[in-house]
């Protein structure tokens, strides 16, 4: 808790304005116009919430998904040595949570991840989905680096599982590309479910046909994929490729 209190002495959260809602300190994503953003609350907005026998001091919040970052300030004695004063990320409706360790360790690791580029910072927006580590993949073809990151979303619906994924394209070497620009023309997915697989193709991505050029060498978008709710089949994996033209 000492590190947490010191952090608030240094900076008292984010101001509550449009940027507060859309560009959270702990990451954001925009999926079909729905913006999810974990924003650092000011001290006057801090509150303690009860989750069963656990009490959490909430210091970051997303108004869209209702996800929280909070510090466990009270819990049954049987769990105190494992989780008391730890930062947890949770979705209250599902009671699912991720233990992120003590605040000092959590915040130090997060800053290191930002500096190392594990999380994109583009147009002053920090991406919530990482570029490296578990559930990510990267490939380079003709000087274009494609990075895929996938995140499980427990807040979406209790009926079936939802995953959001972020894909970014960046031209690293225009000489290897061989053209002044490249435009994304189409996408093709191979989706693996528990007992079968299916293919999906389409023009562009999220209704756009982005152009990568020296003036704009970077593009990223966010979409989502779910279990097959009609046949009650669990999503196992998905793979695919994109077609770009000069």
């Amino acid at each position: 808790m000492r590190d947490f209190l010191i952090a608030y002495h240094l900076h008292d959260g984010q101001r509550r304005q449009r940027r507060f809602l859309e560009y959270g300190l702990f990451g954001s994503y925009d999926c079909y116009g729905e913006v999810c953003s974990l924003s650092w609350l000011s001290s006057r907005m801090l509150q303690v919430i009860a989750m069963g026998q656990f009490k959490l001091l909430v210091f970051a919040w997303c108004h869209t998904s209702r996800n929280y970052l909070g510090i466990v300030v009270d819990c049954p004695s049987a769990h105190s040595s494992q989780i008391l004063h730890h930062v947890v990320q949770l979705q209250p409706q599902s009671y699912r949570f991720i233990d992120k360790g003590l605040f000092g360790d959590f915040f130090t690791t997060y800053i290191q991840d930002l500096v190392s580029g594990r999380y994109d910072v583009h147009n002053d927006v920090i991406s919530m989905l990482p570029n490296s580590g578990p559930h990510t993949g990267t490939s380079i073809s003709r000087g274009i680096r494609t990075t895929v990151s996938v995140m499980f979303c427990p807040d979406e619906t209790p009926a079936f599982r939802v995953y959001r994924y972020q894909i970014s394209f960046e031209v690293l070497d225009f000489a290897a590309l061989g053209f002044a620009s490249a435009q994304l023309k189409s996408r093709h997915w191979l989706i693996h479910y528990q007992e079968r697989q299916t293919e999906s193709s389409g023009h562009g991505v999220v209704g756009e046909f982005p152009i990568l050029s020296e003036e704009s060498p970077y593009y990223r978008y966010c979409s989502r994929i779910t279990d097959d709710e009609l046949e009650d089949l669990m999503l196992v994996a998905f793979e695919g490729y994109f077609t770009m033209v000069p």
Side-chain angles (χ1 to χ4, degrees), residues 160-204:
F160 52 90
R161 299 183 310 170
V162 176
Y163 298 86
R164 282 197 175 93
Y165 61 89
Q166 174 182 278
I167 296 180
S168 64
F169 307 98
E170 184 176 13
V171 181
L172 303 178
D173 186 348
F174 277 93
L177 178 60
F179 301 97
S181 65
Q183 183 173 24
L184 194 151
K185 201 71 172 177
S186 62
R187 65 190 187 279
H188 181 85
W189 292 115
L190 180 60
I191 305 168
H192 302 269
Y193 293 104
Q194 245 176 335
E195 299 174 3
R196 66 177 180 85
Q197 62 184 32
T198 184
E199 296 186 59
S200 174
S201 299
H203 300 293

Side-chain angles (χ1 to χ4, degrees), residues 20-246:
F20 170 94
L21 296 176
E22 295 188 0
Y23 308 124
L25 176 66
F26 299 106
S28 307
Y29 62 77
D30 184 341
C31 188
Y32 296 105
E34 180 183 82
V35 177
C36 179
S37 179
L38 269 174
S39 302
W40 190 11
L41 301 177
S42 66
S43 58
R44 64 184 178 83
M45 297 177 67
L46 296 176
Q47 59 177 314
V48 175
I49 63 171
M51 301 287 289
Q53 294 181 296
F54 295 80
K55 290 184 178 179
L56 292 94
L57 176 64
V58 175
F59 65 88
W61 171 75
C62 172
H63 76 289
T64 302
S65 66
R66 300 297 189 262
N67 275 285
Y68 294 92
L69 281 174
I71 293 181
V72 179
V73 293
D74 191 21
C75 67
S77 58
H79 301 285
S80 61
S81 62
Q82 291 87 23
I83 202 167
L84 186 64
H85 297 158
H86 280 213
V87 174
V88 295
Q89 182 173 348
L90 73 154
Q91 207 290 323
Q93 293 179 352
S94 67
Y95 281 74
R96 295 184 175 100
F97 72 91
I98 302 171
D99 182 0
K100 293 183 173 288
L102 295 171
F103 181 84
D105 297 333
F106 154 73
F107 201 76
T108 299
T109 299
Y110 182 62
I111 296 302
Q112 290 173 344
D113 286 341
L114 290 176
V115 172
S116 69
R118 183 166 186 254
Y119 294 96
D120 274 347
V121 183
H122 186 64
N123 291 335
D124 297 328
V125 181
I126 300 172
S127 172
M128 191 181 293
L129 288 89
N131 289 321
S132 61
H135 317 301
T136 66
T138 300
S139 68
I140 299 176
S141 177
R142 295 289 294 269
I144 299 176
R145 178 173 62 196
T146 302
T147 303
V148 181
S149 180
V150 181
M151 178 175 65
F152 174 55
C153 301
D155 54 285
E156 286 280 344
T157 171
F160 52 90
R161 299 183 310 170
V162 176
Y163 298 86
R164 282 197 175 93
Y165 61 89
Q166 174 182 278
I167 296 180
S168 64
F169 307 98
E170 184 176 13
V171 181
L172 303 178
D173 186 348
F174 277 93
L177 178 60
F179 301 97
S181 65
Q183 183 173 24
L184 194 151
K185 201 71 172 177
S186 62
R187 65 190 187 279
H188 181 85
W189 292 115
L190 180 60
I191 305 168
H192 302 269
Y193 293 104
Q194 245 176 335
E195 299 174 3
R196 66 177 180 85
Q197 62 184 32
T198 184
E199 296 186 59
S200 174
S201 299
H203 300 293
V205 290
V206 293
E208 297 183 356
F209 297 85
I211 298 175
L212 302 177
S213 64
E214 291 190 7
E215 293 75 24
S216 182
Y218 178 88
Y219 176 83
R220 80 176 181 214
Y221 76 96
C222 186
S223 189
R224 67 180 193 170
I225 189 169
T226 71
D227 289 339
D228 188 330
E229 62 250 51
L230 296 179
E231 297 188 27
D232 195 26
L233 295 177
M234 184 175 67
L235 177 69
V236 176
F238 68 101
E239 58 184 307
Y241 60 85
F242 301 89
T243 301
M244 294 192 178
V245 296

